[in-house]
Amino acid sequence: MTELALVGIDMGTGGARVGIFDPHGKLLGTHAVLWDTQYPRAGRAEQDPDEWWRCIKESVSKAMQASGLPPEAIAGISLDSTSATVVAMDADGQHLRPAILWMDVRASAQATKLARTMDPALKYSGMGAVSAEWGLPKVMWLKDNEPDVWEKAAYVADCTDWLTKKLTGEWTMSINHAAGKYFYDRGWPTSLYEKADASDVLEKFPSRLLPVGDVVGGLSKQAAEELGLKEGTPVAEGIIDAYAGQVGLGVVAPGKLALITGSSHVMLAQSATPVYAPGLWGSYTDAVIEGEYTLEAGQASTGSVVSWFKNTLALKATQAAQANGTDVYDELNKLAEEVPIGSDGLILLDHFQGNRSPYVDPHSRGVFAGLTLGKTEGHLYRSIIEGICFGTENIFRLMRQYGFAPEEIVVSGGPVKSSLWMQMHADVCNLPLTITDVTEGPILGSAMIAAVGAGIYDSLPQAADEMVRVVRTIEPSQSAHDEYRFYLQKYIDSYPVMKGLLHDIALHEEQKA
């Protein structure tokens, strides 16, 4: 008898990735296909849903081929996608314009309008600024600026909702997306929508809202034929891509925190009680687990700063890598390991693209403080890694201030390859770091959700117990933590001291642009 398997579909910014997993979390087959992003004007980003579907079909077909499994082996399907990627659809299910991608910031005026309402629903943004990246400002922009599209639109939905419709023929809205980007909190905050002149927006949203993992319906005949899967295969309600990564790391109960690293750092955690604070996003009610709250924070530029340094200033490491046939990052790590904690008094403020948490400051900028003629490439590189770790701990301090204290950090992403970086994170925050064997976090998370929808597991925590495997734990060094304390405090002190100057420079340069 063929063992059952699950399909996880990940719709990321750059393309579709599909994974076929067994119920124990073993990857049986995967495939990815990239799609294009159009940038019609500064600050705008759009994608073609027809290209989404073409790439998804190819990814599913080739992942199934790689797995060697017949369609009858698939017990369930689920999905994740970028959030606040807005699609306008007519009554026949055809999109009326390109999708407005999550990174698109054309809706800044609408975001400001929302923030000025001071409605209690803004607790999800800490009663502060509303990001133009969020879904609701984009939908409001569509209404304000493209009335013909708005009039024809039977549904205005998020990317996950679009794919769910393609798979099942059913219109639903994921509570995960509704809470995370549209202020849903066990019901729509009608007062916020009324104050923002957006009451009619609610009429365009799918009326059937489902928790993550609930079965939407079976795979439609048309979708099954196009994907090469079996008609009627259960499709479970999906989730935001970063949150799928959280699930794939097994962070589905209070106590743990998912640190998803890459060009930026995203932090996601479950809490038994709500946590609302300026500088934090959420905590979103029922966004992952019903009855719990999901807390989110992030650093805008982390791995991107490391990449900038490698590509721009890492002369010695680049030469060594070329001579030795090694990776430049390995050579940089060797140089940094020769430098003591605190980088001999060199501190980096990691705000190269502004600050997301805890200051929500788009006009802050990066700063090296403490440069002397004795500083080397190793000093600069180590100070960058330390500065990123200090920024992470600064966010944890804010979380603790408002009653949420993470006990264990589960990490994924490229920086996991650096033992130096991971040990530094553990030492600075004085918490253990857990590394799982997952390399495809979102597709594993979506497959775990599919397993719950298929009835293989009763809940995401049970799925995590069976499908997520820890491969190592990095324990903090108390002595190193004590040494970092002084430099961490100087890092924290640097922002308020430099803020005015950094704002003046940033605004001056913006006026020149």
Side-chain angles (χ1 to χ4, degrees):
M1 184 172 109
T2 303
E3 186 174 3
L4 296 178
L6 297 314
V7 174
I9 302 173
D10 170 42
M11 294 180 64
T13 301
R17 181 177 293 276
V18 172
I20 316 298
F21 291 86
D22 74 10
H24 308 292
K26 180 181 178 182
L27 182 62
L28 305 175
T30 185
H31 192 78
V33 181
L34 301 181
W35 49 53
D36 294 325
T37 301
Q38 291 75 46
Y39 303 94
R41 287 172 55 183
R44 299 190 180 187
E46 298 180 343
Q47 291 180 345
D48 180 3
D50 286 339
E51 189 175 9
W52 288 346
W53 187 238
R54 179 186 63 77
C55 293
I56 289 166
K57 289 191 294 183
E58 182 179 345
S59 295
V60 170
S61 174
K62 292 189 175 178
M64 285 294 293
Q65 289 176 22
S67 74
L69 295 173
E72 294 76 19
I74 302 304
I77 303 166
S78 193
L79 57 138
D80 65 84
S81 77
T82 60
S83 190
T85 292
V86 172
V87 186
M89 309 287 288
D90 67 15
D92 296 324
Q94 298 298 313
H95 61 277
L96 298 167
R97 67 172 326 282
I100 303 175
L101 194 59
W102 67 269
M103 65 174 68
D104 188 301
V105 291
R106 72 182 73 186
S108 58
Q110 287 75 20
T112 299
K113 186 176 184 178
L114 282 165
R116 286 175 177 167
T117 68
M118 294 302 292
D119 190 87
L122 298 179
K123 64 188 179 184
Y124 279 170
S125 59
M127 297 304 294
V130 174
S131 172
E133 293 178 0
W134 283 26
L136 180 54
K138 290 189 177 76
V139 177
M140 291 167 60
W141 182 93
L142 195 63
K143 173 191 169 185
D144 293 344
N145 292 275
E146 296 185 0
D148 290 345
V149 171
W150 184 256
E151 183 65 28
K152 294 176 184 176
Y155 292 96
V156 178
D158 218 302
C159 185
T160 287
D161 311 325
W162 170 89
L163 181 54
T164 302
K165 174 67 164 62
K166 292 290 288 187
L167 294 174
T168 66
E170 301 286 337
W171 273 113
T172 65
M173 192 171 194
S174 169
I175 288 177
N176 177 263
H177 285 264
K181 304 300 176 185
Y182 299 88
F183 298 96
Y184 183 86
D185 185 1
R186 295 178 181 161
W188 290 112
T190 52
S191 63
L192 171 66
Y193 282 72
E194 289 169 358
K195 291 173 186 175
D197 300 319
S199 294
D200 54 344
V201 165
L202 294 172
E203 300 171 6
K204 304 282 188 180
F205 289 160
S207 60
R208 185 184 172 200
L209 278 85
L210 291 181
V212 171
D214 271 23
V215 175
V216 175
L219 192 66
S220 71
K221 181 179 180 180
Q222 181 177 345
E225 290 175 352
E226 294 189 58
L227 297 173
L229 297 175
K230 182 181 177 181
E231 181 183 357
T233 303
V235 177
E237 186 60 79
I239 195 168
I240 297 170
D241 54 354
Y243 289 46
Q246 169 195 347
V247 172
L249 291 174
V251 180
V252 290
K256 295 181 179 180
L257 180 142
L259 178 59
I260 301 168
T261 68
S263 296
S264 61
H265 274 23
V266 178
M267 296 148 212
L268 291 161
Q270 294 299 112
S271 176
T273 55
V275 180
Y276 306 117
L280 301 177
W281 295 343
S283 51
Y284 304 118
T285 308
D286 301 334
V288 176
I289 306 289
E290 286 191 88
E292 293 181 6
Y293 304 84
T294 304
L295 189 60
E296 180 177 357
Q299 291 164 266
S301 46
T302 54
S304 54
V305 182
V306 174
S307 179
W308 163 82
F309 181 78
K310 182 201 73 165
N311 295 333
T312 307
L313 298 174
L315 177 62
K316 185 175 181 180
T318 299
Q319 291 174 338
Q322 291 171 347
N324 300 329
T326 55
D327 186 89
V328 177
Y329 287 121
D330 291 336
E331 297 296 337
L332 282 169
N333 284 329
K334 290 177 185 177
L335 294 175
E337 287 168 352
E338 298 172 359
V339 177
I341 286 175
S343 302
D344 286 328
L346 182 61
I347 294 171
L348 173 86
L349 187 63
D350 57 320
H351 298 181
F352 278 51
Q353 292 176 283
N355 177 270
R356 185 178 296 164
S357 301
Y359 306 120
V360 196
D361 185 353
H363 296 117
S364 189
R365 294 292 181 265
V367 175
F368 282 103
L371 283 168
T372 67
L373 295 177
K375 297 299 186 287
T376 66
E377 192 171 304
H379 285 90
L380 289 166
Y381 182 72
R382 184 179 182 105
S383 73
I384 289 171
I385 303 300
E386 289 183 340
I388 292 167
C389 295
F390 295 155
T392 302
E393 171 59 14
N394 198 23
I395 294 170
F396 292 167
R397 284 190 171 192
L398 178 64
M399 290 180 174
R400 296 183 192 109
Q401 181 183 339
Y402 282 86
F404 178 80
E407 300 165 5
E408 177 186 347
I409 312 301
V410 190
V411 191
S412 70
V416 170
K417 298 174 184 176
S418 170
S419 298
L420 174 71
W421 195 338
M422 292 300 100
Q423 186 65 56
M424 200 177 292
H425 262 313
D427 293 344
V428 170
C429 67
N430 204 27
L431 288 170
L433 262 61
T434 297
I435 312 296
T436 69
D437 68 346
V438 63
T439 57
E440 305 289 354
I443 54 172
L444 174 58
S446 284
M448 291 165 63
I449 295 167
V452 173
I456 295 174
Y457 300 116
D458 293 333
S459 65
L460 284 176
Q462 186 184 20
D465 288 342
E466 298 295 332
M467 299 180 74
V468 179
R469 289 179 292 277
V470 173
V471 292
R472 63 190 172 105
T473 299
I474 301 168
E475 296 291 343
S477 162
Q478 184 63 52
S479 61
H481 176 72
D482 293 340
E483 284 191 68
Y484 276 120
R485 284 178 181 273
F486 172 84
Y487 303 102
L488 168 63
Q489 190 57 52
K490 296 306 109 180
Y491 166 91
I492 293 171
D493 293 344
S494 67
Y495 171 72
V497 170
M498 297 291 294
K499 178 180 176 180
L501 174 64
L502 297 175
H503 279 207
D504 288 346
I505 294 171
L507 292 171
H508 179 75
E509 293 303 310
E510 286 181 9
Q511 291 169 2
K512 288 166 54 179

